[in-house]
Amino acid sequence: MNGDLQDRSDVARLVDDFYRRAFADPLIGPIFTDVAKMDLDRHLPIMCDFWETVLFRAGLYRRNALQAHLDLSARFPLRQEHFERWLALWVENVDEHFAGEKAELAKIQAARIAGSIHRRLEGRSGSDFETLKPRSQREGEPADARRV
């Protein structure tokens, strides 16, 4: 059985393997290589900072992930299928290498981040809860309905 993510070296192994897979992926690989023209050696430490901050509250990532995706999507519209593929590769990669609380957190946070960025690119709220409405605004209920 695989152990859990413990430190930056684990994060680096996870991130390195993930991006090598993502770069080779027929759906999202060209976005990284042809559109973003991403230099993997330069990008990996940035992503390690990001994931070490997400998983261990390291405080190392100080960039704006949303802005980077807004800029990229202006050149090549990022669609739901791109985020779904990114997430599937991430989850598969985490599951192959790690198991435990931090590994689960890595998958949960990836799903939240992908969903939030995708919603924001569509001009919507980044919140998972954007579709929740106050009880009085729900379909079929009178505006003055109160919880009993």
Side-chain angles (χ1 to χ4, degrees):
M1 179 169 190
N2 296 331
D4 204 358
L5 290 144
Q6 299 290 323
D7 54 27
R8 185 168 181 103
S9 66
D10 290 339
V11 171
R13 184 167 55 125
L14 179 67
V15 168
D16 181 73
D17 193 50
F18 168 75
Y19 276 97
R20 293 191 191 287
R21 290 178 191 206
F23 272 45
D25 185 76
L27 179 63
I28 64 173
I31 298 170
F32 289 109
T33 58
D34 300 339
V35 180
K37 299 189 185 313
M38 192 177 291
D39 175 352
L40 190 55
D41 291 331
R42 186 175 160 275
H43 190 64
L44 286 176
I46 296 166
M47 290 295 85
C48 285
D49 287 351
F50 178 83
W51 283 105
E52 193 175 2
T53 296
V54 168
L55 297 174
F56 299 106
R57 300 180 188 261
L60 300 171
Y61 186 80
R62 302 203 190 299
R63 295 173 181 232
N64 184 333
L66 176 60
Q67 189 60 54
H69 289 87
L70 286 168
D71 294 345
L72 179 60
S73 195
R75 289 183 279 153
F76 183 91
L78 299 174
R79 298 185 309 269
Q80 180 69 32
E81 65 197 43
H82 299 123
F83 288 95
E84 288 172 358
R85 183 63 183 149
W86 179 91
L87 184 58
L89 288 173
W90 179 260
V91 168
E92 177 183 295
N93 191 50
V94 171
D95 286 342
E96 278 185 27
H97 294 291
F98 300 98
E101 183 180 326
K102 293 296 181 183
E104 290 305 309
L105 180 61
K107 295 184 291 187
I108 290 166
Q109 289 297 84
R112 288 177 178 161
I113 292 163
S116 178
I117 290 174
H118 181 250
R119 286 187 296 275
R120 295 291 300 273
L121 290 176
E122 290 185 329
R124 298 165 33 209
S125 165
S127 173
D128 275 336
F129 304 108
E130 71 176 356
T131 59
L132 296 181
K133 296 178 184 175
R135 184 176 199 99
S136 64
Q137 292 179 6
R138 293 184 193 154
E139 189 175 321
E141 292 186 13
D144 62 350
R146 299 205 190 275
R147 193 170 171 177
V148 183

